[in-house]
Amino acid sequence: IRDTLLAATESVDVAKAESPVADLGTLVTQNNPNDNGYAQKSTSQRTIYLPIIRNELPALMRVFDFADPDIGGGERSETTVPAQALWMLNSPFIHSQAEQLAALLMAQASSKDERIRLLYVRALGRLPTIAEQAVAQQFLSELTPVADSKLAAEQWTDLVHAVLASSAFRITD
């Protein structure tokens, strides 16, 4: 999910990190408690390269069934729980990705139809169905028409956020 979000906004860094724990402090790297602790920092690296600190799992991993790093397991559980949908709606990370994707859409396409198609291709890897195109058009038409580019960007951000929070984004068939 995280990598797809970063790819959709053209911000994913596919380069492998030199050392994922190089700047995490002595608490993590040397098991020395005389440290300021671990402060998770924002990065655009692929999720597979993120360091896994047992007692400091990122929220995305906790919510979406990341395997317990304390025990070995041959199979991960799969759940669909309300916390996942709520995280997709309320996470500051998701909101910032929606803002970035909305800005890209507005820069790369001029008409509503083009932007909607581009949104679906970037977020879901496919064109919108006729019904999805109509719903997106209706959503945008029900908003107050604005000449202010900042307000227009907020409206597109809301639409992008709705698509990113949809089950179609989270679940592959």
Side-chain angles (χ1 to χ4, degrees), residues 1 18-19 27 36 52 56 60 66 71 73 87 96 102 104 120 135 138 146 150 152 166 171:
I1 290 174
E18 289 282 325
S19 170
L27 175 65
N36 292 334
I52 300 301
E56 294 288 339
L60 172 75
F66 187 77
I71 56 175
W87 190 85
S96 72
L104 275 174
Y120 274 79
V135 167
Q138 181 180 355
V146 291
K150 184 176 180 180
S166 71
I171 300 170

Side-chain angles (χ1 to χ4, degrees), residues 19-33:
S19 170
V21 295
D23 56 351
L24 295 183
T26 58
L27 175 65
V28 174
T29 59
Q30 300 170 17
N31 199 23
N32 181 348

Side-chain angles (χ1 to χ4, degrees), residues 21 39 53 58 72 97 133 151 165:
V21 295
I53 311 304
Q97 295 302 303
Q133 183 85 20
L151 289 176

Side-chain angles (χ1 to χ4, degrees), residues 64-127:
F64 288 99
D65 303 321
F66 187 77
D68 185 346
D70 290 328
I71 56 175
E75 190 173 319
R76 280 180 39 191
S77 61
E78 294 180 26
T79 61
T80 303
V81 295
Q84 294 168 345
L86 290 171
W87 190 85
M88 294 296 287
L89 288 171
N90 298 315
S91 165
F93 173 71
I94 298 292
H95 186 71
S96 72
Q97 295 302 303
E99 286 177 335
Q100 287 182 38
L101 185 49
L104 275 174
L105 297 174
M106 293 180 76
Q108 293 177 350
S110 56
S111 74
K112 284 183 184 181
D113 285 333
E114 289 177 70
R115 288 177 184 167
I116 292 168
R117 282 193 293 275
L118 187 56
L119 166 60
Y120 274 79
V121 168
R122 285 184 168 275
L124 304 180
R126 63 173 175 79
L127 291 171

